Each structure stands twice: as C-alpha cells, then as structure tokens.
Amino acid sequence: MADFLSADPLPPAARVACRVEYDGSRYSGWQSQPHLDVSTVQETLEAALSRVANAPVRVHCAGRTDTGVHGHNQIVHFDSPVSRSPKAWVLGGNANLPFDVRLHWAVPVAGEFHARFSATARRYRYIIANTPVRPAHLGGQVTWQRRPLDVGLMHSEAQCLLGEQDFSAFRAAACQSNSPFRNVHSVSVERRGALLVIDIRANAFLHHMVRNIAGSLMAVGSGRAPAGWLAQLLAGRDRTVAADTAPPDGLYLVDVSYPGHFGLPATPAGPLLLGGT
C-alpha cells in the first residue's frame, strides 16, 4: 500500500500534510468565517478531522479560494493532537466529510513545513464552455461563454503576463496584499473540444487575479476588445478599465509546488473532467 495510506501510527504532535479536493459550489470559500452562518471548506474539513482525532484539529492551506471556486489539489497541513495513521486520517476523514470534499492522501512532513509559506508556486485552471447554448451538465463546474472565442489570440495576448510585474489592473479592490507584484511563470490558453482552458502558474496570486485576467481574455477572444488590450491594461495598472471579473464557476486550484525534500506525492493536474492532464 502506498506510504500515504500507511496504517503505521504517527506519533502525537506529528505534522501531517494532506491533499484535499473539493467542489466549491456550496461553500462560502475556503476560509473559516465563525462570525457568519455560512459553510466553508475549512470548517467542514476541520470538523471531520476533529472527529477522527476526538480532539480539535486546525488546518492551514496553501491558498484560500473564494466562494464557488474549486480545489483539485489544495494542500493543507495540521499538527496531530493524537497518534493516528495516514490511512486513518484519509479514510476516517472521508467517512465524516460530505460528498463534495475528499481527502486523497496524508503524509508526515518535517516540522518546518507550512502549506502556505513553504509553497514556491501555485497553478490555477479556468475552464470555459464555449457553446451556443449553456450546457445542461457541469453546472457550477465551468463558465459558459456563448460568443465564439479565438483561442489562438487569447493565448498570444496572455504572454504579456509572464514575469514579475505589477498586476494592479487585475487586482480586486478588497485585496489585502502588501504588494501588487507577482511573478507569472507560465500561462497558456488551449481548446479541448468545446472547452477552453486558461492555465496559469505563478509564485502567488492577488485576490481575484485569475478571474480578472480570464474576464479580460474573454473580452479580447470574443472581439469585444482589440488585440493588444491586455498589455495596455497591465501597463495602465487601473482595474476600473479592465473587463468584469469572470464568475468563480470553472476556476480550480490544480497544483501547488514545494521543494522536493518535503517529499509530497505528485498529483496529476486536473480537474478530472479534463482527463487528469
């Protein structure tokens, strides 16, 4: 059996890292909001793990996703209050989780590992159903755009985003980051049948950054904005002149990168509806 489903108990106070997959449609984002009567992924996961431990468990995540945004490969860590095996955390956690949140693996990690601060990069995919009629299936899983989209133009336009730059033009007004600078490592737009996939990897992301980029790319791809507009937006640093924020439907956190010495299992880029590639 794989090490991440080992039945060997881990000692109390062991630091454990897990991969969490979730459909964000029913949740008010990742982060716990105890002052509001809403469901969040963090609270749901903590409740399930706390039942396995018979003690409170607090988790820390790689990236706090917004309301309606999905996690294919969200990484979390927690310090175990009791001795449990990786198998117990995964199988016991899933037995106490709703259908739309799943644990895939659990592994012991070094004490200096932190799901957020040890991460070197994050990767998101934004999926668009580009069809004349809204699909009857995949509700909440993809964004719908009825206007034909020029995928080649969208891909070429997106290349201006590469490198370390000021992304104020694609930053939400409520963003709390101290700096608008982010380093985009790669970005692509490709068509897979009726689906368009915007794939972007960066050291970190500003609040709504991917959704704001997606909205402006769709404006160019549909002909509502001219070629070269994305570069102008980036240089102008003015969020108010960019396109509307794209819906959360279709946005997935698909990968988080860490230094190899932490030994986390590799995960195929998803989501599953894309065939795991």
Side-chain angles (χ1 to χ4, degrees):
M1 184 172 290
D3 289 342
F4 51 85
L5 285 179
S6 168
D8 295 333
L10 303 175
R15 181 154 292 189
V16 181
C18 302
R19 175 197 164 197
V20 188
E21 180 185 30
Y22 53 89
D23 178 341
S25 303
R26 297 193 309 129
Y27 298 95
S28 295
W30 165 268
Q31 189 172 10
S32 175
Q33 301 183 54
H35 57 292
L36 297 176
D37 185 22
V38 296
S39 294
T40 68
V41 181
Q42 181 182 5
E43 290 172 325
T44 301
L45 179 61
E46 288 177 345
L49 293 174
S50 296
R51 292 188 186 99
V52 176
N54 292 318
V57 174
R58 174 77 171 177
V59 302
H60 304 269
C61 74
R64 295 176 293 183
T65 53
D66 292 331
T67 298
V69 175
H70 315 298
H72 171 72
N73 191 30
Q74 173 73 274
I75 303 299
V76 306
H77 85 264
F78 61 90
D79 293 327
S80 172
V82 294
S83 176
R84 296 285 187 273
S85 68
K87 182 178 180 179
W89 287 120
V90 173
L91 299 188
N94 285 337
N96 287 285
L97 283 167
F99 69 94
D100 49 7
V101 182
R102 293 288 95 180
L103 286 160
H104 282 266
W105 48 253
V107 294
V109 287
E112 68 267 22
F113 176 84
H114 193 286
R116 178 183 175 190
F117 299 119
S118 298
T120 57
R122 293 145 179 93
R123 180 181 174 191
Y124 282 87
R125 278 178 164 174
Y126 193 84
I127 306 175
I128 306 158
N130 192 203
T131 55
V133 176
R134 184 188 297 273
H137 304 289
L138 301 177
Q141 306 302 300
V142 298
T143 291
W144 175 58
Q145 173 58 252
R146 66 176 177 82
R147 293 186 177 93
L149 294 172
D150 185 334
V151 64
L153 176 59
M154 291 171 68
H155 176 78
S156 62
E157 284 286 294
Q159 302 315 300
C160 71
L161 303 172
L162 292 172
E164 185 168 358
Q165 304 187 65
D166 184 333
F167 284 90
S168 294
F170 305 108
R171 178 183 189 177
C175 182
Q176 298 178 354
S177 175
N178 292 328
S179 170
F181 282 85
R182 293 295 185 268
N183 190 339
V184 173
H185 301 160
S186 63
V187 59
S188 66
V189 185
E190 64 174 353
R191 183 179 291 277
R192 300 193 182 190
L195 301 178
L196 261 68
V197 182
I198 301 172
D199 192 322
I200 182 166
R201 182 177 184 270
N203 64 332
F205 290 87
L206 300 166
H207 190 203
H208 286 177
M209 179 173 158
V210 177
R211 290 169 57 191
N212 288 335
I213 289 171
S216 292
L217 278 174
M218 283 191 283
V220 174
S222 64
R224 293 181 290 117
W229 188 54
L230 208 71
Q232 294 175 17
L233 293 175
L234 190 65
R237 304 177 184 178
D238 185 352
R239 173 70 192 101
T240 64
V241 300
D244 292 341
T245 303
D249 308 1
L251 181 58
Y252 296 79
L253 174 60
V254 297
D255 195 25
V256 185
S257 300
Y258 295 94
H261 67 266
F262 286 122
L264 269 60
T267 300
L272 192 61
L273 66 90
L274 295 180
T277 59

